Structure formats: structure tokens, C-alpha cells
Amino acid sequence: MKRLYYGLGKKRFLEWILLAVFLLFFYGPLMHMLTLSFAGEYEYPDVIPRTYGFKWWEYILSKGQMVESIATSLVLAVVVTVVSLLICLPAAYAIARYQFKGRSVVRLSFLLTNAFPKMGIYTAMAVIFYKLNLMGTFVGVVLVHIVNTMMFMVWIPSGSFRTVHIQQEESARDVGASSLRVFFKITMPMAWPGIVVASLYTFLGSMEEAQGSLLIGLPNVHTMPSELYGVIMSFPDTAGAVFAVILLIPSILLLIVFRKYLSAEALSNGFKM
């Protein structure tokens, strides 16, 4: 009996150690960033700031271009999400419901943008955009972001559409419902959790996209991630931490509001292909 208690105690101790290590590596950088954002006097070799305050918050929020980049990123993320829904949902439904030649190739093609180094893709797009006069435009940045988010907007909703039994759609058509009515009243509500998850990934992916925005958008379109590069290179770490926290706030709020759609079951259903 003593050996059993000893074994259980040792196992539980190891579990607590593993939990502590996980919390340290996962939440440690976030806590450090949050601490830096409110730091006043902080110099090497100090482990923690000597003073705290809102000095760098006031500085960041007093810069017109930085505040403008916050608004630009939010508007850009909303536009990218809406346009991606309009473009990708029909494609996701077609892949889920119809059998056609080359279906697997089409489905796989949406992964290609995330299978290679993105800077190479951005460079190729920049050459084309230069000829189309899309460099430094809001539309150009939207197109870059959509290329990055198409995988989420096609794969996850497609998996959700596949979980909707086709007999339910056929039953609605049998009683006289049109195809559009069936889609908006039957199919879409049942696939809604997967669509919400894909929209969240798209919104958050647009908010944090930096390289494409920097290459295509500058000098006219300034987003938060592209401005963050300049803040990190030109100002102390504390200023960069403030901007990083501001960039993190919309993500946290969205994850809290839509947390019921981010369960393991919802995510697994979305990726069932």
C-alpha cells in the first residue's frame, strides 16, 4: 500500500512539474511582454523594470501614423474576412458536395500558399502587382491577405458542409424550397460553427500578417505588424511591447466571444476531408 501511495505521489509530482514547465514556456513570454509594456525605467542588467507607468502607451497613442495603422489593420481584417467568405464559401460547398474530375487537386491547391516560403510568393505577386498598379494600394494588401487565408476559408467550411447530411437538403427541396433557401436555412446554419472558426482564423491571420503587408502595402498602407517592425528597430523594447499588446487585444477579445466554437470537436469536424 505504501508503494502504491508513493508511486501515485511521484506521478502527481511529475505532473505538477510538467505543468509548471508548460506554463513557464507558454505564458512566460506573454507575461514578460505585458510587464515591458508598462515599464518606465528598464535597462540591462535589470531582471524586472525599476519603475512602471504609461509613458510608452502615451507615446505610441500620440503618434498619428501608429494610431492610423491600428484602424487600418482592423478595417483590413474585416474586409478580408468578408471577401474571403464571399469567394471561398461557394468553393468550399462545391468541394464538399460535388464529385468532379480533379477535385483532389483543387482541394490540395489551397494548401500550396502555406506550403512554401511566403516571401517567395510575395515577391512573385509584387512583380505582377507592379504591372497592375496595385503596389502600395489597399486592394493589393487585401489580395495578399486573401491568398494567405484561403486555406482556412476553404478547408474548414468544406469539412463542416460534409457533416450536413444531404438527405436534409433533399427533404427541404422536396417540399418546394429553392436551392438558395435550402443553403441559407438548412446547410449554412448547421455548418455555422465551422464557418465561424474559419472566419476567426482569417481575421486573426489578417491582423498578424506582416511580410506581405510590408512588401505590397508600403509606403501608402501601414498596418500594425508592419509598423511594429519600425517600432522595434527604432525604439526601446518597451515601445515594441506596447504595440504588441495592442495587436494582441482584438485576438483575445474574439477568442473569448467565440470560445464555444473553438472546441476540439468543432475544429476536428472542420478538418475532416
Side-chain angles (χ1 to χ4, degrees), residues 155-191:
W155 274 67
I156 298 178
S158 181
S160 296
F161 287 138
R162 285 170 63 89
T163 62
V164 180
H165 296 295
I166 195 170
Q167 291 82 0
Q168 294 171 300
E169 297 177 339
E170 293 174 345
S171 298
R173 292 192 187 96
D174 290 340
V175 296
S178 64
S179 297
L180 284 178
R181 187 175 181 85
V182 170
F183 179 79
F184 286 108
K185 294 295 185 179
I186 303 295
T187 309
M188 194 168 179
M190 298 188 70

Side-chain angles (χ1 to χ4, degrees), residues 19-228:
L19 177 62
V21 172
F22 169 78
L23 293 176
L24 177 63
F25 280 93
F26 189 81
Y27 291 105
L30 293 176
M31 293 302 300
H32 180 65
M33 181 181 69
L34 188 62
T35 302
L36 283 184
S37 67
F38 292 99
E41 185 179 353
Y42 180 58
E43 298 179 355
Y44 180 83
D46 295 338
V47 177
I48 60 174
R50 298 179 183 177
T51 60
Y52 294 89
F54 294 92
K55 171 185 175 182
W56 291 106
W57 283 86
E58 295 172 356
Y59 176 81
I60 293 294
L61 296 178
S62 66
K63 297 296 180 180
Q65 183 168 302
M66 295 182 183
V67 175
E68 181 182 347
S69 71
I70 298 173
T72 300
S73 289
L74 291 173
V75 172
L76 182 64
V78 172
V79 171
V80 168
T81 303
V82 173
V83 174
S84 296
L85 282 169
L86 295 176
I87 294 175
C88 297
L89 280 188
Y93 184 80
I95 291 174
R97 279 288 182 260
Y98 301 108
Q99 296 292 335
F100 53 88
K101 190 175 182 179
R103 176 171 172 265
S104 298
V105 176
V106 172
R107 188 174 62 197
L108 183 62
S109 66
F110 290 103
L111 291 175
L112 295 180
T113 55
N114 292 272
F116 302 100
K118 291 185 178 181
M119 186 52 72
I121 298 175
Y122 296 151
T123 303
M125 293 179 68
V127 174
I128 299 174
F129 283 9
Y130 180 78
K131 295 179 180 179
L132 298 176
N133 295 320
L134 290 175
M135 294 295 289
T137 65
F138 186 84
V139 175
V141 178
V142 168
L143 293 176
V144 169
H145 286 210
I146 290 176
V147 168
N148 283 329
T149 59
M150 287 178 68
M151 182 190 75
F152 301 121
M153 274 300 190
V154 172
W155 274 67
I156 298 178
S158 181
S160 296
F161 287 138
R162 285 170 63 89
T163 62
V164 180
H165 296 295
I166 195 170
Q167 291 82 0
Q168 294 171 300
E169 297 177 339
E170 293 174 345
S171 298
R173 292 192 187 96
D174 290 340
V175 296
S178 64
S179 297
L180 284 178
R181 187 175 181 85
V182 170
F183 179 79
F184 286 108
K185 294 295 185 179
I186 303 295
T187 309
M188 194 168 179
M190 298 188 70
W192 185 245
I195 296 173
V196 171
V197 171
S199 300
L200 284 174
Y201 274 117
T202 299
F203 185 91
L204 299 178
S206 176
M207 286 289 295
E208 67 178 17
E209 213 298 310
Q211 294 178 335
S213 302
L214 193 65
L215 182 63
I216 304 298
L218 293 181
N220 300 323
V221 180
H222 299 268
T223 64
M224 290 179 66
S226 61
E227 282 295 304
L228 185 58

